[in-house]
Coordinates of all heavy atoms in Angstrom, one line a residue:
A1 N 113.2 50.9 57.7 CA 113.9 50.5 58.8 C 113.1 50.8 60.1 O 112.2 51.6 60.1 CB 115.2 51.3 58.9
V2 N 113.4 50.0 61.1 CA 112.7 50.1 62.4 C 112.9 51.6 62.9 O 114.0 52.1 63.0 CB 113.2 49.1 63.4 CG1 112.5 49.3 64.7 CG2 112.9 47.7 62.9
G3 N 111.8 52.2 63.3 CA 111.9 53.5 63.9 C 112.3 54.7 63.0 O 112.7 55.7 63.5
D4 N 112.2 54.5 61.6 CA 112.6 55.6 60.8 C 111.5 56.6 60.6 O 111.7 57.6 59.9 CB 113.0 55.0 59.4 CG 111.9 54.4 58.6 OD1 110.7 54.4 59.1 OD2 112.1 54.0 57.4
G5 N 110.3 56.4 61.2 CA 109.3 57.4 61.1 C 108.5 57.4 59.8 O 107.6 58.2 59.7
K6 N 108.8 56.5 58.9 CA 108.1 56.5 57.6 C 107.4 55.2 57.3 O 107.0 54.9 56.2 CB 109.1 56.8 56.5 CG 109.8 58.1 56.6 CD 110.7 58.4 55.5 CE 111.4 59.8 55.6 NZ 112.3 60.0 54.4
C7 N 107.3 54.3 58.4 CA 106.5 53.1 58.2 C 107.2 52.2 57.2 O 106.5 51.4 56.5 CB 105.1 53.4 57.9 SG 103.9 52.0 58.3
S8 N 108.5 52.2 57.1 CA 109.2 51.5 56.0 C 109.0 49.9 56.2 O 108.8 49.2 55.2 CB 110.7 51.8 56.0 OG 110.9 53.1 55.7
D9 N 109.0 49.5 57.4 CA 108.9 48.0 57.6 C 107.4 47.6 57.2 O 107.2 46.6 56.6 CB 109.2 47.7 59.0 CG 110.7 47.7 59.3 OD1 111.4 47.7 58.4 OD2 111.0 47.7 60.5
G10 N 106.5 48.4 57.6 CA 105.1 48.1 57.3 C 104.8 48.1 55.8 O 104.1 47.3 55.3
L11 N 105.4 49.1 55.1 CA 105.3 49.2 53.7 C 105.9 48.0 53.0 O 105.4 47.5 52.0 CB 105.9 50.5 53.2 CG 105.0 51.8 53.3 CD1 105.8 53.0 53.0 CD2 103.8 51.7 52.3
K12 N 107.1 47.6 53.5 CA 107.7 46.4 52.9 C 106.8 45.2 53.0 O 106.7 44.4 52.0 CB 109.1 46.2 53.6 CG 109.9 45.0 53.0 CD 111.2 45.0 53.7 CE 112.1 43.9 53.1 NZ 111.6 42.5 53.3
Q13 N 106.2 45.0 54.2 CA 105.3 43.9 54.4 C 104.1 44.0 53.5 O 103.6 43.0 52.9 CB 104.9 43.8 55.8 CG 104.0 42.7 56.2 CD 103.7 42.6 57.6 OE1 103.7 43.6 58.3 NE2 103.3 41.4 58.1
Y14 N 103.6 45.2 53.4 CA 102.4 45.5 52.5 C 102.7 45.1 51.1 O 101.9 44.4 50.4 CB 102.0 46.9 52.6 CG 100.8 47.4 51.8 CD1 99.5 47.0 52.1 CD2 101.1 48.1 50.6 CE1 98.5 47.5 51.2 CE2 100.0 48.6 49.8 CZ 98.7 48.2 50.1 OH 97.7 48.6 49.3
R15 N 103.8 45.6 50.6 CA 104.2 45.3 49.2 C 104.4 43.8 48.9 O 103.9 43.2 48.0 CB 105.5 46.1 48.8 CG 105.3 47.6 48.8 CD 106.6 48.2 48.1 NE 107.7 48.0 48.9 CZ 108.2 48.9 49.8 NH1 107.5 50.1 50.0 NH2 109.3 48.7 50.5
E16 N 105.2 43.2 49.8 CA 105.7 41.8 49.5 C 104.7 40.7 49.9 O 104.5 39.7 49.2 CB 107.0 41.5 50.3 CG 108.1 42.4 49.7 CD 109.4 42.2 50.5 OE1 109.4 41.4 51.5 OE2 110.4 42.9 50.2
E17 N 103.9 41.0 51.0 CA 103.0 39.9 51.5 C 101.6 40.1 51.1 O 100.7 39.3 51.3 CB 103.1 39.8 53.0 CG 104.5 39.4 53.5 CD 104.6 39.3 55.0 OE1 103.5 39.1 55.6 OE2 105.7 39.4 55.6
Y18 N 101.3 41.3 50.5 CA 99.9 41.6 50.1 C 99.8 41.9 48.6 O 99.3 41.1 47.8 CB 99.4 42.7 50.9 CG 97.9 43.0 50.7 CD1 96.9 42.0 50.8 CD2 97.5 44.3 50.5 CE1 95.6 42.3 50.6 CE2 96.1 44.6 50.3 CZ 95.2 43.6 50.4 OH 93.9 43.9 50.2
I19 N 100.3 43.0 48.2 CA 100.1 43.5 46.8 C 100.9 42.6 45.8 O 100.3 42.2 44.8 CB 100.6 44.9 46.7 CG1 99.7 45.9 47.5 CG2 100.5 45.4 45.2 CD1 98.3 45.8 47.2
D20 N 102.1 42.2 46.1 CA 102.8 41.4 45.1 C 102.2 40.0 44.9 O 102.2 39.5 43.8 CB 104.3 41.2 45.6 CG 105.1 42.5 45.5 OD1 104.6 43.4 44.9 OD2 106.3 42.5 46.0
K21 N 101.6 39.5 46.0 CA 100.9 38.2 45.9 C 99.6 38.3 45.0 O 99.3 37.4 44.2 CB 100.6 37.7 47.3 CG 101.8 37.2 48.0 CD 101.5 36.6 49.3 CE 102.8 36.1 50.1 NZ 102.5 35.4 51.3
I22 N 98.9 39.4 45.2 CA 97.7 39.7 44.4 C 98.2 39.8 42.9 O 97.5 39.3 42.0 CB 97.0 40.9 44.9 CG1 96.4 40.7 46.2 CG2 95.8 41.3 43.9 CD1 95.7 41.9 46.9
A23 N 99.2 40.6 42.7 CA 99.7 40.8 41.3 C 100.1 39.5 40.7 O 99.9 39.3 39.5 CB 100.9 41.8 41.4
S24 N 100.7 38.6 41.4 CA 101.1 37.3 40.8 C 99.9 36.5 40.3 O 99.9 35.8 39.3 CB 101.9 36.5 41.8 OG 101.1 36.0 42.9
V25 N 98.8 36.6 41.1 CA 97.5 36.0 40.6 C 97.0 36.7 39.4 O 96.5 36.0 38.5 CB 96.5 36.0 41.8 CG1 95.2 35.4 41.3 CG2 97.0 35.2 43.0
L26 N 97.0 38.0 39.4 CA 96.4 38.7 38.3 C 97.2 38.4 37.0 O 96.5 38.2 35.9 CB 96.6 40.2 38.5 CG 95.7 40.9 39.5 CD1 95.9 42.4 39.5 CD2 94.2 40.6 39.3
K27 N 98.5 38.2 37.1 CA 99.2 37.8 35.9 C 98.8 36.5 35.2 O 98.8 36.4 34.0 CB 100.7 37.7 36.2 CG 101.4 39.1 36.5 CD 102.8 38.9 36.9 CE 103.5 40.2 37.3 NZ 104.9 40.0 37.7
K28 N 98.3 35.6 36.0 CA 97.8 34.3 35.5 C 96.6 34.5 34.7 O 96.3 33.7 33.8 CB 97.6 33.3 36.7 CG 98.8 33.0 37.5 CD 98.5 32.0 38.6 CE 99.7 31.7 39.5 NZ 99.4 30.8 40.6
Y29 N 95.8 35.5 35.1 CA 94.5 35.6 34.4 C 94.4 36.8 33.5 O 93.3 37.1 32.9 CB 93.4 35.7 35.5 CG 93.3 34.4 36.3 CD1 93.9 34.3 37.5 CD2 92.5 33.3 35.8 CE1 93.8 33.1 38.3 CE2 92.5 32.2 36.5 CZ 93.1 32.1 37.8 OH 93.0 30.9 38.5
A30 N 95.5 37.6 33.4 CA 95.5 38.8 32.5 C 95.1 38.4 31.1 O 95.7 37.4 30.5 CB 96.8 39.4 32.6
G31 N 94.1 39.1 30.5 CA 93.7 38.8 29.2 C 92.8 37.6 29.0 O 92.3 37.4 27.9
K32 N 92.5 36.9 30.1 CA 91.6 35.7 30.0 C 90.2 36.0 30.6 O 89.3 35.5 30.1 CB 92.3 34.6 30.8 CG 93.6 34.1 30.3 CD 94.2 33.0 31.1 CE 95.5 32.6 30.6 NZ 96.2 31.5 31.4
V33 N 90.2 36.8 31.7 CA 88.9 37.2 32.2 C 88.9 38.7 32.5 O 90.0 39.3 32.8 CB 88.6 36.4 33.5 CG1 88.4 35.0 33.3 CG2 89.7 36.7 34.6
P34 N 87.8 39.4 32.5 CA 87.8 40.8 32.8 C 88.0 41.0 34.3 O 87.4 40.2 35.1 CB 86.4 41.3 32.4 CG 85.6 40.1 32.4 CD 86.5 38.9 32.0
I35 N 88.8 41.9 34.7 CA 89.1 42.1 36.1 C 88.9 43.6 36.5 O 89.3 44.5 35.8 CB 90.6 41.8 36.4 CG1 90.9 40.3 36.2 CG2 91.0 42.2 37.8 CD1 92.3 39.9 36.2
V36 N 88.2 43.7 37.7 CA 87.9 45.0 38.3 C 88.5 45.1 39.6 O 88.3 44.1 40.4 CB 86.4 45.3 38.3 CG1 86.1 46.6 39.1 CG2 85.8 45.3 37.0
L37 N 89.3 46.1 39.9 CA 89.9 46.2 41.2 C 89.5 47.5 41.9 O 89.5 48.6 41.3 CB 91.4 46.2 41.1 CG 92.1 45.0 40.3 CD1 93.5 45.3 40.0 CD2 91.9 43.8 41.2
V38 N 89.1 47.4 43.2 CA 88.8 48.5 44.0 C 89.9 48.6 45.1 O 90.0 47.6 45.9 CB 87.4 48.4 44.6 CG1 87.1 49.6 45.6 CG2 86.3 48.4 43.5
I39 N 90.6 49.6 45.2 CA 91.8 49.7 46.0 C 91.6 50.5 47.3 O 91.2 51.7 47.2 CB 93.0 50.3 45.2 CG1 93.4 49.3 44.1 CG2 94.2 50.5 46.1 CD1 94.5 49.8 43.2
E40 N 91.8 49.8 48.4 CA 91.9 50.4 49.7 C 90.8 51.4 50.1 O 91.0 52.6 50.3 CB 93.2 51.1 49.9 CG 94.4 50.2 49.8 CD 94.5 49.2 50.9 OE1 93.7 49.3 51.9 OE2 95.4 48.4 50.9
P41 N 89.5 50.9 50.3 CA 88.5 51.8 50.8 C 88.8 52.5 52.1 O 89.4 52.0 53.0 CB 87.3 50.8 51.0 CG 87.6 49.7 50.1 CD 89.1 49.6 50.0
D42 N 88.5 53.8 52.1 CA 88.7 54.7 53.2 C 90.1 55.3 53.4 O 90.3 56.2 54.2 CB 88.2 54.1 54.6 CG 86.7 54.1 54.8 OD1 86.0 54.5 53.9 OD2 86.3 53.6 55.8
S43 N 91.1 54.7 52.7 CA 92.4 55.1 53.0 C 92.7 56.6 52.5 O 93.1 57.4 53.3 CB 93.4 54.2 52.4 OG 93.3 54.1 51.0
L44 N 92.5 56.8 51.2 CA 92.8 58.1 50.7 C 91.9 59.2 51.2 O 92.4 60.3 51.4 CB 92.8 58.1 49.2 CG 93.9 57.2 48.6 CD1 93.8 57.1 47.0 CD2 95.3 57.6 49.0
P45 N 90.6 59.0 51.3 CA 89.8 60.0 51.9 C 90.2 60.4 53.3 O 90.2 61.6 53.7 CB 88.4 59.4 52.0 CG 88.4 58.4 50.8 CD 89.8 57.9 50.8
N46 N 90.7 59.5 54.1 CA 91.2 59.8 55.4 C 92.4 60.7 55.3 O 92.6 61.6 56.1 CB 91.5 58.5 56.2 CG 90.3 58.0 57.0 OD1 89.7 58.8 57.7 ND2 90.1 56.7 57.0
L47 N 93.3 60.3 54.4 CA 94.5 61.1 54.2 C 94.2 62.5 53.8 O 94.9 63.5 54.2 CB 95.4 60.4 53.1 CG 96.7 61.1 52.8 CD1 97.6 61.0 54.0 CD2 97.4 60.4 51.6
S48 N 93.1 62.7 53.0 CA 92.8 64.1 52.5 C 92.1 64.9 53.6 O 92.4 66.1 53.7 CB 91.8 64.0 51.3 OG 92.5 63.5 50.2
T49 N 91.3 64.3 54.5 CA 90.5 65.2 55.4 C 90.9 65.1 56.8 O 90.4 65.9 57.6 CB 89.0 64.7 55.3 OG1 88.9 63.4 55.7 CG2 88.5 64.9 53.8
N50 N 91.8 64.2 57.2 CA 92.1 64.0 58.6 C 93.5 64.3 59.0 O 94.1 63.7 59.9 CB 91.7 62.6 59.1 CG 90.2 62.4 59.1 OD1 89.4 63.3 59.3 ND2 89.8 61.2 58.7
Q51 N 94.1 65.3 58.2 CA 95.5 65.6 58.5 C 95.7 66.2 59.9 O 96.8 66.1 60.4 CB 96.0 66.6 57.4 CG 96.3 65.9 56.0 CD 97.4 64.9 56.1 OE1 98.5 65.2 56.6 NE2 97.2 63.7 55.6
A52 N 94.7 66.8 60.4 CA 94.8 67.5 61.7 C 94.8 66.4 62.8 O 95.2 66.7 64.0 CB 93.7 68.5 61.9
D53 N 94.3 65.2 62.5 CA 94.3 64.2 63.5 C 95.7 63.5 63.6 O 96.2 63.0 62.5 CB 93.2 63.1 63.2 CG 93.0 62.1 64.3 OD1 94.0 61.7 64.9 OD2 91.9 61.6 64.4
P54 N 96.4 63.5 64.7 CA 97.7 63.0 64.8 C 97.8 61.5 64.4 O 98.8 61.0 64.0 CB 98.2 63.2 66.2 CG 96.9 63.4 67.0 CD 95.9 64.1 66.0
R55 N 96.7 60.8 64.5 CA 96.7 59.4 64.1 C 96.7 59.2 62.6 O 97.1 58.2 62.1 CB 95.4 58.7 64.6 CG 95.4 58.6 66.2 CD 94.0 58.2 66.7 NE 93.0 59.1 66.3 CZ 91.7 59.0 66.6 NH1 91.3 58.0 67.2 NH2 90.8 59.9 66.2
C56 N 96.2 60.2 61.8 CA 96.2 60.2 60.4 C 97.2 61.1 59.7 O 97.7 60.8 58.6 CB 94.8 60.6 59.9 SG 93.4 59.5 60.5
G57 N 97.5 62.2 60.4 CA 98.4 63.2 59.7 C 99.8 63.0 60.0 O 100.7 63.8 59.5
N58 N 100.2 62.1 60.8 CA 101.6 61.9 61.2 C 102.4 61.4 59.9 O 101.8 60.8 59.0 CB 101.9 61.0 62.4 CG 101.4 59.6 62.1 OD1 102.1 58.8 61.4 ND2 100.2 59.2 62.6
V59 N 103.7 61.6 59.9 CA 104.5 61.2 58.8 C 104.4 59.7 58.4 O 104.3 59.4 57.2 CB 106.0 61.6 59.1 CG1 106.9 61.1 57.9 CG2 106.2 63.1 59.2
A60 N 104.4 58.9 59.4 CA 104.4 57.4 59.1 C 103.1 57.0 58.4 O 103.1 56.3 57.4 CB 104.5 56.7 60.4
T61 N 102.0 57.5 59.0 CA 100.7 57.2 58.4 C 100.5 57.8 57.0 O 100.1 57.1 56.0 CB 99.5 57.7 59.2 OG1 99.6 57.1 60.5 CG2 98.2 57.3 58.7
S62 N 100.9 59.0 56.8 CA 100.8 59.7 55.5 C 101.7 58.9 54.5 O 101.3 58.7 53.3 CB 101.3 61.1 55.6 OG 100.4 61.9 56.4
S63 N 102.9 58.6 54.9 CA 103.8 57.8 54.0 C 103.2 56.5 53.6 O 103.3 56.0 52.4 CB 105.2 57.6 54.6 OG 105.8 58.9 54.8

Side-chain angles (χ1 to χ4, degrees):
V2 175
D4 67 357
K6 297 182 180 180
C7 203
S8 296
D9 287 345
L11 279 168
K12 182 175 185 294
Q13 183 179 24
Y14 176 77
R15 291 192 296 263
E16 296 176 358
E17 298 183 21
Y18 186 52
I19 297 302
D20 289 352
K21 290 185 178 181
I22 295 174
S24 68
V25 175
L26 289 184
K27 289 177 182 178
K28 296 178 182 178
Y29 296 97
K32 299 177 181 178
V33 295
I35 294 173
V36 175
L37 302 170
V38 175
I39 295 180
E40 297 294 356
D42 280 2
S43 60
L44 296 177
N46 271 314
L47 183 62
S48 291
T49 62
N50 293 324
Q51 286 295 307
D53 188 324
R55 296 168 297 180
C56 300
N58 64 77
V59 173
T61 301
S62 296
S63 296

